[in-house]
Amino acid sequence: MVLEINGKTIELTEAGYLVDLNDWDKTIAQQLATEEGIGELSEQHWDVLHYLRDEYLNNNGNQPMERAILKAMAEKWDNKKLSSKDLYNLFPRAPSKQGLKIAGLPATHRKGGY
């Protein structure tokens, strides 16, 4: 599969994940989000996406589970009452899976969300 953006061809896996995570940028993220049915990415979406990329790139390929994402975002957003539902409102098909796709990272193969 490929993604055509601004005259550039981006290679995707059969599941729609970027083949080369270095191809990722905000335009590609927005296109992937649109294709995932999310629409315009909000500041909170970007916070999650940047967190996922930071964890993967700077923490030995770590792909955080939903509990870790929830904890990190609760701290970032200064919201002690953040729930899983808040993250699913941003990424309806699972923040730890759909978020990874939009963040330009490889698919996770672990089971479960927590």
Side-chain angles (χ1 to χ4, degrees):
M1 294 175 60
V2 295
L3 185 63
E4 297 286 337
I5 297 181
N6 299 331
K8 187 176 177 182
T9 301
I10 307 297
E11 191 175 354
L12 303 174
T13 66
E14 287 184 30
Y17 290 81
L18 291 183
V19 169
D20 182 354
L21 63 94
N22 295 309
D23 285 337
W24 188 85
D25 64 20
K26 287 190 173 194
T27 304
I28 291 168
Q30 184 57 64
Q31 181 64 37
L32 292 170
T34 299
E35 290 182 8
E36 286 288 307
I38 290 178
E40 193 68 31
L41 293 171
S42 68
E43 186 176 327
Q44 288 184 325
H45 284 104
W46 288 114
D47 288 343
V48 173
L49 297 175
H50 288 297
Y51 168 74
L52 291 171
R53 286 189 64 83
D54 182 61
E55 281 294 306
Y56 187 83
L57 297 172
N58 299 314
N59 197 7
N60 200 27
N62 182 41
Q63 294 178 313
M65 293 184 282
E66 289 171 22
R67 182 173 283 167
I69 299 168
L70 185 63
K71 183 178 179 183
M73 293 305 103
E75 290 174 11
K76 179 155 186 74
W77 300 334
D78 198 28
N79 181 353
K80 303 299 182 205
K81 295 182 181 180
L82 193 65
S83 72
S84 292
K85 184 176 180 181
D86 296 311
L87 290 178
Y88 275 86
N89 285 337
L90 296 172
F91 300 99
R93 294 186 193 136
S96 64
K97 293 181 182 169
Q98 191 175 35
L100 287 173
K101 180 184 271 189
I102 296 168
L105 300 170
T108 183
H109 297 290
R110 69 172 173 269
K111 295 179 182 179
Y114 273 86

